[in-house]
């Protein structure tokens, strides 16, 4: 068995509903997508520049990381 690093345990705790489960690529990508949407929403609320730059971009329209 491969020993996990502290970083892997931290990542698993951040992205998993159940921290005892091993995380998957899909779980990591879902977490990244969620955080991307949150980031876009946050910058649009806090920055005039990004509000203008991202005027046609809505977080709910982003379906994947591609």
């Amino acid at each position: 068995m491969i020993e996990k690093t502290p970083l892997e345990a931290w990542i698993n705790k951040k992205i998993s509903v159940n921290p005892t489960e091993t995380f998957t690529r899909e779980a990591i990508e879902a977490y990244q997508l969620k955080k991307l949407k949150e980031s876009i929403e946050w910058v649009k609320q806090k920055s005039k520049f990004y509000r203008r730059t991202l005027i046609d971009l809505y977080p709910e329209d982003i379906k994947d990381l591609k």
Side-chain angles (χ1 to χ4, degrees):
M1 180 174 184
I2 299 174
E3 213 173 298
K4 290 187 178 186
T5 67
L7 179 59
E8 287 177 288
W10 181 82
I11 293 169
N12 194 33
K13 183 178 176 185
K14 291 292 263 180
I15 68 170
S16 296
V17 175
N18 183 356
T20 59
E21 294 178 6
T22 50
F23 53 90
T24 63
R25 174 172 293 283
E26 292 80 20
I28 294 169
E29 289 178 0
Y31 177 78
Q32 290 173 330
L33 183 60
K34 174 184 163 203
K35 289 302 185 179
L36 174 63
K37 289 178 178 185
E38 289 174 3
S39 296
I40 290 170
E41 187 63 38
W42 189 85
V43 299
K44 286 179 76 173
Q45 289 177 6
K46 303 292 182 183
S47 168
K48 289 179 186 179
F49 171 78
Y50 284 112
R51 206 171 8 259
R52 286 190 310 260
T53 304
L54 303 174
I55 195 164
D56 294 326
L57 179 65
Y58 302 97
E60 58 273 7
D61 293 341
I62 302 171
K63 303 298 181 205
D64 57 39
L65 295 173
K66 293 177 185 171

